[in-house]
Amino acid sequence: MAKADQTEIDLRIIIEQPVIGVLHSLQARDESPLDPKASRAGEPLIFDLSVRVAPGPKFYGDQVRREGPVRRFVYVRIGQMAGDSSSPWSRRMKVDIHDIDADMLDRAAGGGGAIEIRVPGTAADGTPACATVRPIARRVAGR
């Protein structure tokens, strides 16, 4: 698909109540950690990125991963995978983006702001959330 047919939108992934002191990062195209950060006192971790959206919708970008013909997601790396070799955890979190509704995409594409995706940072057992995490909330946050 030609880039001319794609619209860039901003995403903001907010990890709510992450495990304190555990490093998290986005995953770059080369699979290295990108923008690593850890919570000092339980505050949310915020990751900003841009994606391109084409009709369908279809998603493209350096942090966009694919699984099958439809599913698109962003990986958040955790612990060792985020660059902390001393961490007891080596995990990734999948944050789905393929199911963001068309109205929200249109509002963000029209300059309405970034699409915020809030996800839980701690699993029921008290360890860092991993695998596919379901969003707590999604909204278009004004600029």
Side-chain angles (χ1 to χ4, degrees):
M1 166 116 354
K3 282 193 179 182
D5 298 330
Q6 301 172 14
T7 302
E8 188 166 306
I9 63 168
D10 295 325
L11 294 181
R12 174 170 283 158
I13 297 172
I14 302 174
I15 301 172
E16 297 281 350
Q17 300 176 334
V19 176
I20 294 171
V22 177
L23 201 60
H24 289 66
S25 73
L26 293 176
Q27 180 171 305
R29 175 67 61 200
D30 66 1
E31 297 197 12
S32 64
L34 179 65
D35 191 20
K37 54 187 78 171
S39 178
R40 296 178 203 239
E43 73 279 2
L45 300 176
I46 299 171
F47 294 97
D48 291 316
L49 63 144
S50 292
V51 299
R52 295 182 316 278
V53 183
K58 295 182 180 177
F59 295 86
Y60 303 92
D62 290 341
Q63 282 76 48
V64 176
R65 300 292 176 263
R66 57 186 291 155
E67 187 174 277
V70 176
R71 187 174 190 195
R72 300 294 180 269
F73 58 91
V74 174
Y75 270 132
V76 177
R77 298 166 64 100
I78 300 165
Q80 293 175 21
M81 294 187 88
D84 181 359
S85 60
S86 66
S87 176
W89 296 291
S90 183
R91 299 179 172 180
R92 288 190 299 192
M93 173 188 296
K94 280 185 181 179
V95 180
D96 283 326
I97 61 173
H98 66 275
D99 56 352
I100 297 172
D101 77 39
D103 179 59
M104 193 173 284
L105 292 171
D106 289 344
R107 285 188 287 139
I115 295 177
E116 284 185 357
I117 305 169
R118 293 180 177 271
V119 296
T122 302
D125 65 0
T127 64
C130 63
T132 299
V133 293
R134 300 288 173 223
I136 298 167
R138 286 184 180 151
R139 71 180 187 111
V140 177
R143 295 181 191 257

